[in-house]
């Protein structure tokens, strides 16, 4: 398998984390976003959406990091990271979609408008809205994690892998997890995993 990605991208790291969890042999192919390599015709032929990551498994090409997690969970079923029963799989999907639709974009806005964009292009109101969105989502995560050790209940799953890649950027963006003690404890448990350490070192 080949993973095309940018080493500092949380969306890329989400998939790398998963590849390490399931011990999948893989080759990492760097796509340098700062040099526009994600907009070359060669890369767009793989991912017409022009974003990283993108996984190539022989003749199968897949983009969107959370879809890739679901695929890898099914591809390596012995690790039981994708849920077994319909309700368990649906619960996992709920966290993946929350991350893709709310948490991930909020973090991306904060990064863009505090670090990535030149000062004259930064919009403080967007950062304020994104921080409010994150606070709301963190409240949801805290509510769940104060009752169960993992997002989808008693087992570690791709729901945890997906969300941990997003919360991993909290320190860089001055996002404080301490008002959410269960979330912060979960985040520390995630950081203790060998696969996490291989990915985020
Ligand atoms: N929903 C996508 C988001 C992918 C994404 O936005 N990746 C960023 C890097 S973290 C990217 O490729 N940005 C390049 C750009 O926006 O031009 C996923 O989960 O894979």
């Amino acid at each position: 398998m080949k993973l095309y990605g940018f080493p500092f991208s949380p969306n890329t790291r989400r998939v790398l984390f998963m590849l390490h969890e399931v011990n999948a042999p893989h080759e990492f192919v760097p796509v340098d976003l700062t040099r526009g390599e994600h907009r070359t015709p060669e890369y767009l032929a793989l991912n017409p959406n022009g974003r990283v990551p993108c996984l190539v498994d022989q003749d199968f090409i897949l983009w969107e990091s959370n879809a890739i997690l679901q695929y890898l969970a099914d591809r390596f079923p012995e690790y039981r990271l994708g849920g077994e029963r319909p309700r368990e799989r649906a619960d996992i999907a709920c966290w993946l979609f929350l991350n893709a639709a709310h948490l991930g974009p909020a973090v991306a806005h904060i990064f863009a408008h505090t670090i990535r964009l030149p000062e004259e292009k930064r919009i403080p109101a967007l950062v304020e809205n994104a921080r409010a969105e994150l606070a709301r989502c963190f409240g949801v995560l805290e509510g769940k994690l104060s009752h169960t050790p993992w997002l989808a209940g008693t087992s570690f799953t791709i729901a945890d892998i997906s969300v941990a890649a997003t919360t991993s950027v909290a320190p860089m963006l001055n996002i404080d997890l301490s008002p959410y003690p269960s979330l912060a404890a979960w985040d520390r448990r995630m950081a203790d995993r060998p696969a996490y350490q291989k990915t985020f070192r």
Side-chain angles (χ1 to χ4, degrees):
M1 276 185 283
K2 280 188 184 175
L3 178 68
Y4 290 78
F6 186 59
F8 305 109
S9 141
N11 293 300
T12 298
R13 287 177 163 190
R14 173 172 302 124
V15 177
L16 270 177
F17 183 9
M18 176 66 177
L19 287 166
H20 290 308
E21 280 288 345
V22 299
N23 297 302
H26 62 274
E27 178 191 342
F28 183 74
V29 184
V31 178
D32 191 341
L33 301 181
T34 65
R35 295 161 58 101
E37 289 178 1
H38 54 308
R39 295 197 209 96
T40 61
E42 294 76 20
Y43 186 72
L44 291 171
L46 294 174
N47 180 356
N49 201 32
R51 301 273 175 119
V52 293
C54 179
L55 183 83
V56 178
D57 186 7
Q58 296 181 8
D59 58 346
F60 181 59
I61 301 171
L62 186 63
W63 37 276
E64 281 297 322
S65 60
N66 289 291
I68 299 172
L69 293 192
Q70 289 183 318
Y71 172 69
L72 291 173
D74 288 343
R75 178 94 160 53
F76 296 89
E78 63 275 29
Y79 290 88
R80 297 172 178 263
L81 294 179
E84 311 276 311
R85 292 175 298 281
R87 288 184 183 186
E88 200 186 345
R89 292 178 71 85
D91 191 25
I92 290 169
C94 173
W95 297 109
L96 299 185
F97 290 138
L98 177 92
N99 195 20
H102 302 283
L103 276 168
V107 162
H109 272 131
I110 296 171
F111 174 67
H113 291 274
T114 58
I115 295 176
R116 183 169 62 79
L117 290 169
E119 293 232 0
E120 67 276 12
K121 291 200 172 158
R122 295 181 191 170
I123 305 172
L126 279 181
V127 177
E128 205 180 307
N129 288 348
R131 288 198 187 276
E133 173 84 332
L134 270 190
R136 194 178 52 77
C137 290
F138 284 172
V140 175
L141 295 171
E142 176 66 19
K144 178 71 187 188
L145 292 166
S146 60
H147 292 101
T148 60
W150 306 108
L151 284 173
T154 52
S155 311
F156 169 77
T157 69
I158 52 173
D160 302 289
I161 292 175
S162 178
V163 174
T166 306
T167 54
S168 73
V169 297
M172 181 180 72
L173 299 178
N174 287 323
I175 296 166
D176 183 13
L177 295 187
S178 64
Y180 313 95
S182 306
L183 174 62
W186 166 90
D187 193 56
R188 285 192 296 275
R189 284 203 304 284
M190 295 300 295
D192 283 342
R193 298 186 74 86
Y196 184 106
Q197 287 168 12
K198 279 186 205 157
T199 307
F200 297 90
R201 66 179 162 224

